[in-house]
Amino acid sequence: MSLEVLAQAQEINASGYGAIGYGLAAIGGGIGLGLVVAKNMEATARQPELAGQLRTTMFLGIAFTESLALIGLVAGFIL
């Protein structure tokens, strides 16, 4: 009976670590997105004529930042 309890405890701990890992990945992605958008707004305010090019670059930065958060989600499930 104690072996069953140990197995359940290990399962609970393993799932908890995955949740913590994904939480950290989500926080990192959120901070990264905030920085990308903030810097784009700052650059657009300084050079309004480049708004189109800056927007395109911003969307690429957002996509790469989100992909890192998704990799963190997958790693949380794998580990």
Side-chain angles (χ1 to χ4, degrees):
M1 181 128 156
S2 64
L3 290 176
E4 291 175 18
V5 173
L6 272 172
Q8 288 176 351
Q10 285 179 338
E11 185 177 323
I12 290 170
N13 285 339
S15 66
Y17 292 137
I20 291 171
Y22 177 63
L24 292 174
I27 288 172
I31 292 171
L33 285 174
L35 289 174
V36 167
V37 173
K39 292 299 181 177
N40 182 50
M41 290 174 64
E42 181 181 333
T44 302
R46 290 175 186 250
Q47 297 284 334
E49 65 274 5
L50 295 177
Q53 291 175 335
L54 291 171
R55 187 178 308 119
T56 303
T57 307
M58 179 189 69
F59 285 135
L60 284 171
I62 287 173
F64 291 137
T65 305
E66 279 296 318
S67 68
L68 289 175
L70 289 175
I71 289 169
L73 171 68
V74 171
F77 283 127
I78 290 173
L79 300 176

